[in-house]
Amino acid sequence: MLNIVVLVSGGGSNLQALIDAEKNGILKSGKIVKVISDRESYAEVRAEKNNIPFERVVRKDFSNKEEFCDKLIDEIQKENADLIILAGFLSILTEKFTKIYENKIINVHPSLIPSFCGDGMYGLKVHKAALKKGVKVTGATVHFVNAITDGGAIILQKPVGVMENDTPETLQKRVMEQAEWKILPMAAEYFCSGKLKIENDVVKIKED
Ligand code: GAR
C-alpha cells in the first residue's frame, strides 16, 4: 500500500473523488495519509469528516515560495509519501520540490493539455478561455508534474463536449463530473499499482 499526500486549495471535490474511490475499491493500492491545504478551504472539512490527518500550510505566511515549498517538503517527508496528488492545488511548486519528487507528483487540469494550460490558467479561467475560443470539445488531463506549469508527461485524458449555452460554471461542472472525478482516481490507482512507465517523456500504461 503506497502513501498518498493530497495538496488542495479549494472546494476539494477532486479530493472527495479520491476519498470515494478509496471507499469503493477503485483506489486500492494507495491510501491518503494526509491532506495539506495552502489556504482555508472546504477541502479541510472533507478531510475531517473522513478522519484524514489535515495540515494547513498557508502560502501567505511565507515571504517567498522557496520557504513555503521547503515547509511542504518537510510535512510530506514526515508522511513517507510515495505519491503526491495536486487536487485543485493553486500554488506553483519550486524546481527543488519537483526534483525531489520527480515522477511522483500528479496533477489534474481541467482541459485537454496542451490547450488552455500553463501559467495563470486555472479553475474557471480555463473554461472561460475554452468558451472564448469556441472549442466544441474540451475535457480534463491528469499528468506528472515537472518544473514547467502543466508541462509534465500526460497520464490520462478524457474529452467532454461543449454545449452552445454553456457558461464557464456549467462547463466546469460537466468537466468535473464526466472527466476529472473519474480519471484522477484511475490515474492514482495506476500509479500505486505500478502500472505507469515513462519512456522518452511519454507515459505507457502497462497491461495486466
Ligand atoms: C478543478 O477543476 C481542477 O481541475 C482545477 O481546479 C479545480 C479544483 O476543484 N485545477 C486547476 O485548474 C489546476 N491548474 P476542487 O477543489 O473542487 O477539486
Side-chain angles (χ1 to χ4, degrees), residues 96-140:
K96 176 178 172 190
F97 188 121
T98 58
K99 274 264 150 57
I100 292 178
Y101 290 104
E102 194 170 8
N103 298 335
K104 289 189 171 147
I105 314 167
I106 67 175
N107 177 49
V108 62
H109 183 77
S111 74
L112 295 174
I113 289 176
S115 289
F116 313 117
C117 62
D119 286 330
M121 271 293 185
Y122 57 86
L124 275 178
K125 290 186 186 189
V126 177
H127 302 293
K128 275 184 192 149
L131 290 176
K132 188 159 184 241
K133 187 68 192 170
V135 291
K136 307 304 176 214
V137 176
T138 183

Side-chain angles (χ1 to χ4, degrees), residues 11-58:
S13 71
N14 278 288
L15 167 67
Q16 190 65 52
L18 291 164
I19 294 170
D20 293 346
E22 239 192 275
K23 285 186 182 156
N24 63 28
I26 287 174
L27 175 53
K28 55 179 186 288
S29 311
K31 182 181 163 54
I32 304 170
V33 293
K34 181 165 259 180
V35 173
I36 302 177
S37 180
D38 66 352
R39 64 200 75 183
E40 206 179 315
S41 74
Y42 187 70
E44 301 180 11
V45 179
R46 297 184 194 269
E48 227 164 59
K49 275 190 185 159
N50 290 280
N51 299 316
I52 302 169
F54 174 82
E55 194 83 42
R56 200 185 293 162
V57 180
V58 177

